[in-house]
């Protein structure tokens, strides 16, 4: 049974750094072809993909947020951490982690099959 | 990477069929077979409805179907039901090895 759970602060101040943790079970990020993503959704707005980390520790970031994001994994603890620097009120959103698997060729990540429940992060002074 | 383009809203009466479009470029939808669709009810987590353009996960009703023509993917809901009222998002793999979502479409059952 695959489960994911996001944890972190519900409230951060402008200019602070946000650190979110995704704790997961039911699969391993050591498994070839497995990867984990962070996605966010501002209240009443669309989903936005943020970052992905692959089983081989390759990392990919949203072009528009690349300079502010860092993704890392701790496979021994089954956790993935996302940090976002210089938080602003426009970053107020529900942040999700979601699992994804590469296709059978091993070249292309495919679809988000399992999602965490999300964590609402509000940026306010 | 620009967001994929979806209509803001689509509506239909119970029993009708509706189609939601998702337009991208040759760098995403038109270049790869990795388009997926998600349903999101208010306050809920997105749910995978279609993957790899036209495949349905186990447990998803066959009233949901996906297709693609050129740079535009589509999700068709046939036999529209009240429970289908939700937001729908498309997503695609891109040439920069990233992912991108559409702006979302609100489906209303009249």
């Amino acid at each position: 049974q695959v489960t994911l759970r996001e944890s972190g602060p519900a409230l951060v101040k402008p200019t602070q750094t946000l650190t979110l943790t995704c704790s997961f079970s039911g699969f391993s990020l050591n498994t070839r072809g497995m990867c984990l993503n962070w996605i966010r959704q501002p209240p009443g707005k669309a989903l936005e993909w943020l970052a992905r980390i692959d089983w081989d520790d390759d990392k990919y970031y949203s072009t528009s947020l690349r300079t502010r994001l860092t993704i890392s994994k701790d496979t021994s603890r089954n956790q993935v951490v996302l940090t976002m620097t210089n938080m602003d009120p426009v970053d107020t959103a529900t942040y999700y982690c979601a699992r994804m698997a590469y296709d059978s060729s091993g070249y292309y990540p495919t679809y988000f099959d399992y999602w965490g429940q999300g964590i609402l992060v509000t940026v306010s002074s | 990477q620009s967001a994929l383009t979806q209509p803001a809203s689509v509506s239909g009466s119970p029993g009708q069929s509706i189609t939601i479009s998702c337009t991208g470029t040759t760098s995403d939808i038109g270049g790869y077979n990795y388009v997926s669709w998600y349903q999101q009810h208010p306050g809920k987590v997105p749910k995978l409805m279609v993957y790899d353009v036209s495949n349905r996960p186990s447990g998803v009703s066959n009233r949901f179907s996906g297709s693609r023509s050129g740079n535009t993917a589509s999700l068709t809901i046939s036999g529209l039901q009240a429970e289908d009222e939700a937001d729908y998002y498309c997503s695609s793999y891109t040439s920069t090895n990233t992912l991108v979502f559409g702006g979302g479409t609100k489906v209303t059952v009249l």
Side-chain angles (χ1 to χ4, degrees):
Chain A
Q1 177 189 3
V2 173
T3 64
L4 303 99
R5 186 183 75 251
E6 305 85 354
S7 59
L11 178 67
V12 297
K13 290 180 167 51
T15 75
Q16 286 187 335
T17 294
L18 171 67
T19 299
L20 295 174
T21 300
C22 177
S23 302
F24 58 87
S25 64
F27 68 99
S28 172
L29 259 186
N30 280 328
T31 301
R32 181 178 179 82
M34 203 59 63
C35 56
L36 200 135
N37 298 260
W38 283 97
I39 296 156
R40 73 177 179 179
Q41 185 173 37
K45 296 189 177 181
L47 300 169
E48 179 183 15
W49 180 81
L50 299 177
R52 185 178 88 246
I53 189 164
D54 293 353
W55 77 96
D56 57 3
D57 211 36
D58 280 349
K59 301 160 188 174
Y60 303 90
Y61 298 100
S62 162
T63 303
S64 60
L65 292 169
R66 161 185 309 276
T67 61
R68 299 174 54 204
L69 296 174
T70 302
I71 192 169
S72 62
K73 63 183 174 71
D74 183 339
T75 50
S76 65
R77 300 178 67 180
N78 280 352
Q79 291 182 334
V80 169
V81 174
L82 180 76
T83 63
M84 180 179 291
T85 61
N86 195 24
M87 293 292 285
D88 184 271
V90 300
D91 296 314
T92 293
T94 295
Y95 288 75
Y96 297 98
C97 59
R99 192 186 82 158
M100 173 176 269
Y102 274 62
D103 69 347
S104 57
S105 74
Y107 286 112
Y108 302 107
T110 54
Y111 51 88
F112 309 103
D113 56 358
Y114 290 93
W115 297 64
Q117 286 300 305
I119 180 170
L120 175 61
V121 178
T122 300
V123 185
S124 174
S125 54
Chain B
Q1 183 65 47
S2 299
L4 306 174
T5 301
Q6 297 182 233
S9 62
V10 173
S11 62
S13 299
Q16 285 187 330
S17 292
I18 62 169
T19 296
I20 304 167
S21 61
C22 172
T23 300
T25 69
T26 54
S27 295
D28 37 65
I29 291 177
Y32 307 94
N33 293 325
Y34 300 110
V35 178
S36 51
W37 290 89
Y38 303 86
Q39 176 193 64
Q40 187 181 34
H41 287 107
K44 300 298 185 181
V45 176
K47 174 187 176 183
L48 177 67
M49 304 302 285
V50 168
Y51 67 95
D52 297 355
V53 176
S54 60
N55 294 318
R56 265 188 320 275
S58 173
V60 171
S61 171
N62 59 9
R63 298 185 298 104
F64 292 83
S65 62
S67 62
R68 180 188 58 191
S69 177
N71 297 337
T72 298
S74 298
L75 176 72
T76 297
I77 309 174
S78 58
L80 198 62
Q81 300 180 359
E83 67 205 49
D84 301 331
E85 189 162 289
D87 294 325
Y88 291 82
Y89 295 91
C90 58
S91 176
S92 176
Y93 173 80
T94 82
S95 60
T96 55
N97 209 343
T98 59
L99 288 303
V100 64
F101 283 100
T105 298
K106 181 177 180 58
V107 168
T108 300
V109 181
L110 301 172

